[in-house]
């Protein structure tokens, strides 16, 4: 079976009702990005940061996978598919994708603020004073600006094995995620589904459509021409 690697960003979840980051005014849901998504913001006001991610986590119960998440699952009928997502939601998993790597963490996990390896499942709010079993304050299991990306090496080695690369709904502005595209074998087919694609690489076939339209179309094509 050929390997398909799919790199997704906020755009794939937009039609499920989760806002993207850079389509607005530099604010996420009314918050200054650095206040809620940086180690400095956490130092300054951990309660605000917890509240921000508690709201995002609660929102998960109100949203559902859309046609794009679901179409990617169909690809597994004829390909080995790995999704590398920048998203912290669980919509790929809920759609049924079997192999999902979260580059920027997951809303449904918490971790010790002292030990990044002490990660636990988290379906409810994290409150100030909630601790891991070693007594350390819990924080969202999210990769904030300026922090290491622990899944990066895994993502690179998966990308190097791709026979086909699909990029969906990302502004390609955040590194190191945006660099992954450079690790594919030269000459493999590459597709980019985004209504406002911000790339100039001529070797990538652009499908300038919303994910819910463009992804099912691409999947149908790939299933017909394995
Ligand atoms: N279908 C597909 N793409 C869409 C749709 C849609 N319906 N609506 C918007 N988009 C596209 C936009 O055109 C844009 O290119 O989604 C992209 C969203 O870009 P960003 O908001 O920058 O999101 P993303 O690229 O995922 O951000 C990367 O930045 O702040 C960090 O950690 C955060 O993971 C995030 C990372």
């Amino acid at each position: 079976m050929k390997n398909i690697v799919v790199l997704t960003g906020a755009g794939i979840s937009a039609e499920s009702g989760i806002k993207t980051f850079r389509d607005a005014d530099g604010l996420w849901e009314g918050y200054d990005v650095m206040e809620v998504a940086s180690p400095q913001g956490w130092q300054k006001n951990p309660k605000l940061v917890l509240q921000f991610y508690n709201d995002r986590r609660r929102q998960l119960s109100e949203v559902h996978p859309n046609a794009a998440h679901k179409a990617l699952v169909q690809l597994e009928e004829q390909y080995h598919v790995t999704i590398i997502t920048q998203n912290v939601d669980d919509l790929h998993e809920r759609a049924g994708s079997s192999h999902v790597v979260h580059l920027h963490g997951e809303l449904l996990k918490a971790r010790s603020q002292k030990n990044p390896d002490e990660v636990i499942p988290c379906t409810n709010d994290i409150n100030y004073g909630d601790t891991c079993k070693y007594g350390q304050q819990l924080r969202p299991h999210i990769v904030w600006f300026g922090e290491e990306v622990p899944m990066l090496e895994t993502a690179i080695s998966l990308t190097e094995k791709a026979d086909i690369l699909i990029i969906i709904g990302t502004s390609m502005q955040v590194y190191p995620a945006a660099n992954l595209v450079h690790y594919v074998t030269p000459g493999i087919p590459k597709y980019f589904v985004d209504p406002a694609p911000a790339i100039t690489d001529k070797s990538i076939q652009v499908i300038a459509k919303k994910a819910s339209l463009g992804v099912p179309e691409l999947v149908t094509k790939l299933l017909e021409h394995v």
Side-chain angles (χ1 to χ4, degrees):
M1 263 189 181
K2 284 187 177 171
N3 283 321
I4 295 190
V5 170
V6 188
L7 175 64
T8 66
I12 194 168
S13 295
E15 290 163 87
S16 294
I18 299 179
K19 278 197 187 157
T20 58
F21 299 100
R22 289 177 187 76
D23 287 344
D25 46 10
L27 300 178
W28 295 349
E29 307 281 353
Y31 291 86
D32 178 318
V33 175
M34 295 311 278
E35 296 281 308
V36 293
S38 71
Q40 296 80 357
W42 174 248
Q43 289 282 325
K44 193 172 145 203
N45 194 345
K47 287 184 182 168
L48 176 82
V49 174
L50 290 174
Q51 182 205 321
F52 176 78
Y53 288 100
N54 287 343
D55 289 346
R56 308 277 82 70
R57 195 176 304 103
R58 286 178 187 196
Q59 189 193 17
L60 290 184
S61 63
E62 294 155 21
V63 299
H64 303 282
N66 64 49
H69 299 101
K70 291 177 189 167
L72 292 175
V73 182
Q74 289 171 17
L75 275 181
E76 294 187 16
E77 292 164 14
Q78 299 189 45
Y79 295 91
H80 183 268
V81 182
T82 305
I83 315 259
I84 300 173
T85 187
Q86 298 169 83
N87 300 342
V88 296
D89 64 54
D90 64 340
L91 295 181
H92 285 300
E93 287 90 341
R94 275 157 58 191
S97 282
S98 311
H99 309 286
V100 185
V101 173
H102 285 269
L103 265 189
H104 294 163
E106 295 173 67
L107 280 171
L108 294 178
K109 290 182 179 166
R111 73 165 167 90
S112 154
Q113 73 166 351
K114 279 272 155 56
N115 179 2
D117 296 327
E118 182 61 21
V119 179
I120 57 170
C122 174
T123 47
N124 296 315
D125 288 357
I126 308 174
N127 295 306
Y128 197 65
D130 288 351
T131 56
C132 70
K133 64 183 178 199
Y134 301 108
Q136 296 296 336
Q137 174 66 45
L138 287 172
R139 55 161 272 185
H141 181 52
I142 303 286
V143 177
W144 288 327
F145 285 104
E147 293 190 314
E148 267 185 48
V149 180
M151 295 307 287
L152 184 61
E153 289 305 318
T154 304
I156 289 174
S157 81
L158 289 164
T159 306
E160 285 171 340
K161 296 187 192 85
D163 298 304
I164 298 172
L165 178 73
I166 304 175
I167 307 166
I168 305 166
T170 171
S171 60
M172 301 290 273
Q173 283 190 28
V174 172
Y175 291 85
N179 256 341
L180 280 176
V181 63
H182 302 303
Y183 287 89
V184 298
T185 307
I188 66 160
K190 290 174 276 187
Y191 303 91
F192 187 18
V193 183
D194 193 304
I199 51 155
T200 49
D201 184 340
K202 293 276 184 292
S203 71
I204 301 181
Q205 296 182 49
V206 172
I207 300 166
K209 294 183 179 177
K210 287 186 171 184
S212 66
L213 289 176
V215 177
E217 278 176 28
L218 177 60
V219 166
T220 302
K221 180 175 138 181
L222 291 172
L223 289 175
E224 280 168 2
H225 305 283
V226 177

